[in-house]
Amino acid sequence: MTTRRDVMIGMAAAAAGPLTALTAGAQGMDQYADLVLRGGKVTTLDRSNPQASAIAIREGRFLHVGADDEVMALAGPQTPTVDLGGRRVVPGLIDSHMHIIRGGLNYNMELRWDGVRSLAQAMEMLKRQVASTPPPQWVRVVGGFTEHQFAEKRLPTLDEINAVAPDTPVFILHLYDRALLNGAALRVVGYTRDTPNPPGGEIVRDGAGNPTGLLLAQPNATILYSTLAQGPRLPKEYQKNSTQHFMREVNRLGVTGVIDAGGGFQNYPDDYAIIDELHRENLLTVRIAYNLFTQKPKDELADFAQWSKQVVPGQGDDFYRANGAGEMLVYSAADFEDFRVERPDMPPSMEADLEPVIRLLAENRWPWRLHATYDETISRALDVYENVARDVPFEGLNWFFDHAETISDRNIERVAKLGGGIAVQHRMAFQGEYFVERYGEQAAERSPPVARMLEMGVRVGAGTDATRVASYNPWVSLAWLVTGRTLGGLTLYPSANRLDRETALRLWTHENTWFSGEVGKKGQIAAGQLADLAVLSDDYFAVPEERIQDVASVLTILGGRPVHGADEFADLAPDLPPPMPNWSPVATFGGYQQRRASLGTKYAEMATGCGCASLCSLHGHAHAAAWGASVPVADNRSFWGALGCACWAV
């Protein structure tokens, strides 16, 4: 078995750039590969060479992809060779919409409920973290989950939170609709009976007028984010460590590239200093293309006018580069996606505010993206785009809408005619139940109409919108695209709006390269492209649909260099310093809670033996609760053992 030392020999001599390719064993013989992988099931997504078993890599790019004997002919006497043991290999995944820069600065401070399957488990994690968090720090659960993923199908009550955290401030963000604060957090932020409700938000109060700890977006989420922003920040060195841990966490799931969508309270250039430093020090383990997100309502045009003189789209290198503007272009065009409340109408000033910004971007050849949930918002934005395009051609500008859950066929056609794209995220997997409650099952069947977008010739890419409204786990998104189901097990989409597995994977790989202007450079396992790939824990193309979301990576390679290794490839994993601070939730719990890892081997065995794809006729979806109950579930042959199985769809 090739060891990490074997693979890493010669790295010090390869100083051509960030994460330069392996040169082990080549010893100046340019005809040899730097690294060979063989014995795998390689899905290349290259239609001219769709399947292979072996890969040769040289100088950070794929040298040859083909049969074992072809590739082994390119190995020198000391070229490291990794036996893949028949595992499935796919191109490195690319998230077209994530807030990785902001998320990285805070990752080590956050207790993640991503993937947790029961409220009981979530509250036990909260209790343990409260016990280890020193004052004046907060315990924060900042999105990435939905109450529907819990077996109990509910959020914790404020009384339950206060019971486990009487003195330590606790802030829990649920989607974009609400935040739960315990009494200690209310005292720290200073909300009292005299604190007024902000525009578009509500501080829920008891009969005496005192805040209860529940904050609601009505529909503006600013109250949630501005409250969170009052918490302590990590010092610079901790932020740097935190960003490294977050990148390695997404590497663990097979992600090698991200288009960062900016974000609220993510100021340029100040909040980009950490990622800049990591890039200069060759410590990035994810390729990042970043968009600039305006932070100043009414001053958006001034922001972009200034940035257009400082930054050129494409500026940077293959690891860190400028991508364009958005997802916030003007605040009057931001339609909040809280499906628990009525759709917000954009103000009459939207078009007048948006047009000069679009004109400036088009004239300066800046690609842009625009957050737009509802068809009504998209219609008004397209009116502006079409008006500007009469004067300034859009050809060569990779502009696109983000989200587009309710886009109509008419507006899909308009996007296609203007040469734009649509980046979709799996937000409906987290809040589809709320959408159905408000708009009905029929409307939910095309929310968003991904298959129809593809049929009509629009560029479509996939992502997560992590870390707040949804989890950063790409396999949850892939499961949603393929099955059409929410994390709560609700089937949203008929077969006509679901994708086959290969099409869904394409949306997560080379289709996303259009959105960052890197078509042909990455996204496929093909000779000449950047050598980014993931060796999977389970065969994505063979596992039952309900297990797609459980897939992870056991070996992730970026530019020919391992950035993550597990199981038989654990020896190839690069070193990573311990999480900072030492009380970080990451040190105790890690990030996304994989079902088998969090619930044990016996759970996994019973999950494998359970054949139902949705609810079980005996006990529905309440398996996680049963597993945690004080009944003899260990014997999976008995009646009680059946209660511990994994029949539940999520």
Side-chain angles (χ1 to χ4, degrees), residues 190-205:
Y191 292 166
T192 69
R193 62 182 302 159
D194 299 320
T195 305
N197 287 331
E202 180 184 356
I203 301 171
V204 176
R205 303 166 197 273

Side-chain angles (χ1 to χ4, degrees), residues 230-243:
Q230 295 185 53
R233 293 179 60 129
L234 291 174
K236 178 182 175 182
E237 283 305 305
Y238 289 17
Q239 289 181 337
K240 185 175 177 181
N241 175 279
S242 177
T243 300

